Amino acid sequence: ELENLGATESEIRDVYNKMVGVEGGEAQLLRKLSAERITRWEAIEAIRKKLAVDRFVRERVTPLQNVSEDEVILYYNQNLARFTPDLWIKLFHILTRCPGDADQHRVDAARQRAMKILANIRAGKSFEVMAREFSEDSSASLGGSLGFVKQGALSPVIDAVAFSIAKDVPSDVIRSEAGFHILKVTERRGGTVKPYAEVRDLCEKAVRTKKQAASIQDLVERLREK
């Protein structure tokens, strides 16, 4: 099956010379090969084999790899996560600090402060203005802005609320180890699977590559048997 697929000496020399060029000279290449316990002859034989396999794939495998539309669609449906960009949100928050080991009096007082801030926001006060005035967090000077945050990067309790609330609507007061939070999301990016038409070519290439790999593996096994 590999008959007439061997590389010419000229093709082998061209690849070898490129390797020499990358290393900055033949002496440097030979030193690198020696460090890896590879002789010059072994390197040239490896080039010869790779060129033969590449030619075999190009001339004998690729043309025979028919890929049906059903196979491409199946690959897409089985790999939706690959075609779904990470979800990011532009997040703002207001924090009323209250450590997890605080006594009940302190917890109640912190919760009441947070509830009062939320009531003012829901009554029409600007979230950013309230954050600057009352948030006990370094983001206060930025109007409570935490910038864009990737889903899964926050603590579980904050992440669950932040990625479920409606855009531009303040959350209820929520508790974390740091204290009481009010969250607001102003923008969402990603998180939506790309349409099939947009990634069809990638899916076809993946299916074809998988079939090529199987064909090559089959050839290797048959050659070993011989």
Side-chain angles (χ1 to χ4, degrees):
E1 286 187 71
L2 292 177
E3 131 181 359
N4 298 323
L5 293 177
T8 66
E9 293 304 316
S10 175
E11 290 171 329
I12 297 169
R13 186 168 55 252
D14 286 345
V15 174
Y16 181 79
N17 288 339
K18 286 180 181 178
M19 293 171 61
V20 169
V22 168
E23 297 301 325
E26 187 170 33
Q28 290 89 328
L29 173 62
L30 293 177
R31 275 198 298 272
K32 181 178 180 180
L33 293 174
S34 177
E36 297 174 0
R37 299 174 182 253
I38 300 172
T39 66
R40 182 177 183 277
W41 180 84
E42 288 171 333
I44 290 174
E45 286 305 298
I47 293 171
R48 188 189 309 280
K49 291 175 182 177
K50 182 179 185 306
L51 289 175
V53 170
D54 288 348
R55 186 174 177 186
F56 174 80
V57 172
R58 187 171 60 251
E59 296 183 8
R60 303 287 180 85
V61 176
T62 300
L64 299 177
Q65 299 306 314
N66 295 318
V67 176
S68 71
E69 192 66 16
D70 286 346
E71 289 176 307
V72 180
I73 293 173
L74 178 62
Y75 179 87
Y76 173 76
N77 288 329
Q78 290 178 339
N79 293 273
L80 291 177
R82 176 183 175 187
F83 305 116
T84 306
D86 292 327
L87 177 59
W88 293 74
I89 55 173
K90 190 172 185 180
L91 181 63
F92 290 74
H93 89 146
I94 297 172
L95 171 65
T96 302
R97 289 199 175 277
C98 183
D101 59 356
D103 60 49
Q104 192 59 47
H105 175 74
R106 185 173 178 183
V107 171
D108 291 343
R111 182 184 288 109
Q112 286 301 315
R113 290 199 306 275
M115 294 294 292
K116 186 175 180 179
I117 293 169
L118 177 59
N120 281 312
I121 294 171
R122 287 177 171 170
K125 291 283 189 179
S126 165
F127 190 103
E128 289 79 359
V129 169
M130 297 298 285
R132 288 190 179 94
E133 188 171 352
F134 297 109
S135 185
E136 300 167 5
D137 181 76
S138 59
S139 67
S141 61
L142 301 174
S145 175
L146 298 177
F148 278 94
V149 181
K150 180 182 175 181
Q151 188 170 30
L154 303 167
S155 66
V157 64
I158 301 296
D159 194 85
V161 175
F163 285 88
S164 63
I165 58 176
K167 181 180 168 185
D168 295 322
V169 177
S171 72
D172 293 330
V173 172
I174 57 173
R175 179 79 188 273
S176 78
E177 285 299 310
F180 294 93
H181 304 256
I182 304 167
L183 309 177
K184 185 178 79 166
V185 172
T186 61
E187 190 176 342
R188 279 185 166 82
R189 295 180 181 175
T192 302
V193 63
K194 294 180 180 179
Y196 174 69
E198 186 177 327
V199 297
R200 187 205 170 282
D201 289 348
L202 288 175
C203 294
E204 181 181 358
K205 182 178 179 181
V207 174
R208 194 179 302 280
T209 298
K210 185 176 180 180
K211 285 191 168 187
Q212 288 175 351
S215 295
I216 293 170
Q217 183 61 36
D218 179 64
L219 170 66
V220 169
E221 293 300 328
R222 282 186 282 127
L223 289 175
R224 282 174 179 166
E225 290 174 1
K226 293 178 181 180

